[in-house]
Amino acid sequence: MSAPRFFCDIPLTAGARVALPEALAHHALRVLRLRAGEAVVLFNGQGGEYPGTLEVDGKAGFAQLGEFVPREAELAGRVTLVQGLPSGDKMDWVVEKAVELGAARVSPIAAQRSVLQLSGARLDKRLAHWQRIAQSASEQCGRNRLMAVDAPLTLAEWLQQPADGLRLLCHPEADEDLAGTLRAAAGLQALTLLVGPEGGWSDKELAQAREAGVQAVRFGPRVLRTETAGLALLSAASALLAW
């Protein structure tokens, strides 16, 4: 059985004895019921990881770190998933699975047809919740770098940001398909995938995206749910690009 992995947002150095943050120590000692002398792995999101040995002093936990291991589990290129906010807690699923599939960033969009609308303290709380999900998913799947989760923007606001590589919007009536578009994109290093909420993008949003140079592509003969579409696109794109 592999050693449990923990994200530890502090400087880590080979050979150091580090005090585990209180929340991490509680999870390791009280929830997972780990005992002194058990093997653990720590990473701080900067790349690589440190195997270590757990030490316990009352409610406090420490890790005696071994040598740095420069192991990575990232895709060869950067994939950003721009996800129209879905209803309920579907975004939790999207964030978790996007981490597992290797996305570098998830950018939620408060689309015109999004049922979920967030603002103020509720938005801050939900964003922190998504970031914790990304952290936990990285611990589970073996990634040593954290996927970024942005605060929600409108599509118009998001389009004002500098483009990062090829930007593709999923639309069932697009002329070009995903596979053909990616085959023509030799040497691609960054890809952004845009997926609408339930009900899809509005005509105004489609026009905004087109004017900003975003290319529409279709993906198969079936209409996928919003929480499925982006993840399926991400998986297919990384396979087609051999990332």
Side-chain angles (χ1 to χ4, degrees):
M1 181 176 178
S2 59
R5 289 167 33 86
F6 299 103
F7 171 69
C8 193
D9 192 17
I10 59 175
L12 301 175
T13 306
R17 182 178 186 264
V18 298
L20 303 182
E22 183 177 351
L24 195 162
H26 174 80
H27 182 67
L29 303 179
R30 305 294 176 231
V31 179
L32 298 182
R33 298 186 179 279
L34 300 181
R35 296 291 179 256
E38 293 197 56
V40 295
V41 175
L42 301 187
F43 68 101
N44 61 9
Q46 303 303 309
E49 61 190 23
Y50 294 83
T53 302
L54 183 65
E55 298 179 359
V56 180
D57 183 3
K59 293 183 178 180
F62 301 84
Q64 179 63 50
L65 301 182
E67 292 299 314
F68 174 71
V69 178
R71 190 188 66 79
E72 297 292 353
E74 301 302 300
L75 297 179
R78 293 187 310 280
V79 181
T80 297
L81 175 58
V82 178
Q83 173 70 55
L85 279 173
S87 61
D89 59 0
K90 294 175 184 175
M91 195 68 189
D92 293 8
W93 164 269
V94 172
V95 168
E96 180 182 80
K97 302 310 172 188
V99 171
E100 293 178 18
L101 293 171
R105 179 178 297 273
V106 166
S107 297
I109 298 296
Q112 292 183 352
R113 293 176 179 169
S114 288
V115 174
L116 181 65
Q117 298 294 331
L118 300 170
S119 61
R122 186 163 174 249
L123 186 153
D124 294 339
K125 183 177 180 181
R126 190 66 66 93
L127 178 59
H129 173 67
W130 293 331
Q131 291 169 339
R132 286 193 299 271
I133 288 175
Q135 171 186 315
S136 178
S138 292
E139 292 173 340
Q140 180 274 324
C141 76
R143 290 182 68 174
N144 286 322
R145 298 180 186 272
L146 295 185
M147 183 189 78
V149 183
D150 297 326
L153 298 172
T154 66
L155 184 62
E157 290 170 335
W158 182 85
L159 290 168
Q160 292 175 7
Q161 300 177 126
D164 185 18
L166 180 64
R167 298 185 295 178
L168 302 179
L169 180 147
C170 185
H171 194 285
E173 297 176 5
D175 294 331
E176 303 296 330
D177 66 6
L178 177 71
T181 300
L182 293 181
R183 278 196 295 267
L188 189 65
Q189 296 298 312
L191 175 66
T192 299
L193 302 168
L194 289 81
V195 174
E198 295 95 343
W201 303 108
S202 69
D203 290 342
K204 181 178 180 180
E205 288 169 327
L206 291 173
Q208 290 171 337
R210 184 169 55 251
E211 291 169 6
V214 178
Q215 182 178 347
V217 294
R218 65 180 184 276
F219 183 61
R222 293 168 299 281
V223 177
L224 303 180
R225 292 180 180 273
T226 181
E227 68 271 25
T228 305
L231 302 174
L233 282 166
L234 200 167
S235 300
S238 61
L240 289 166
L241 292 167
W243 282 359

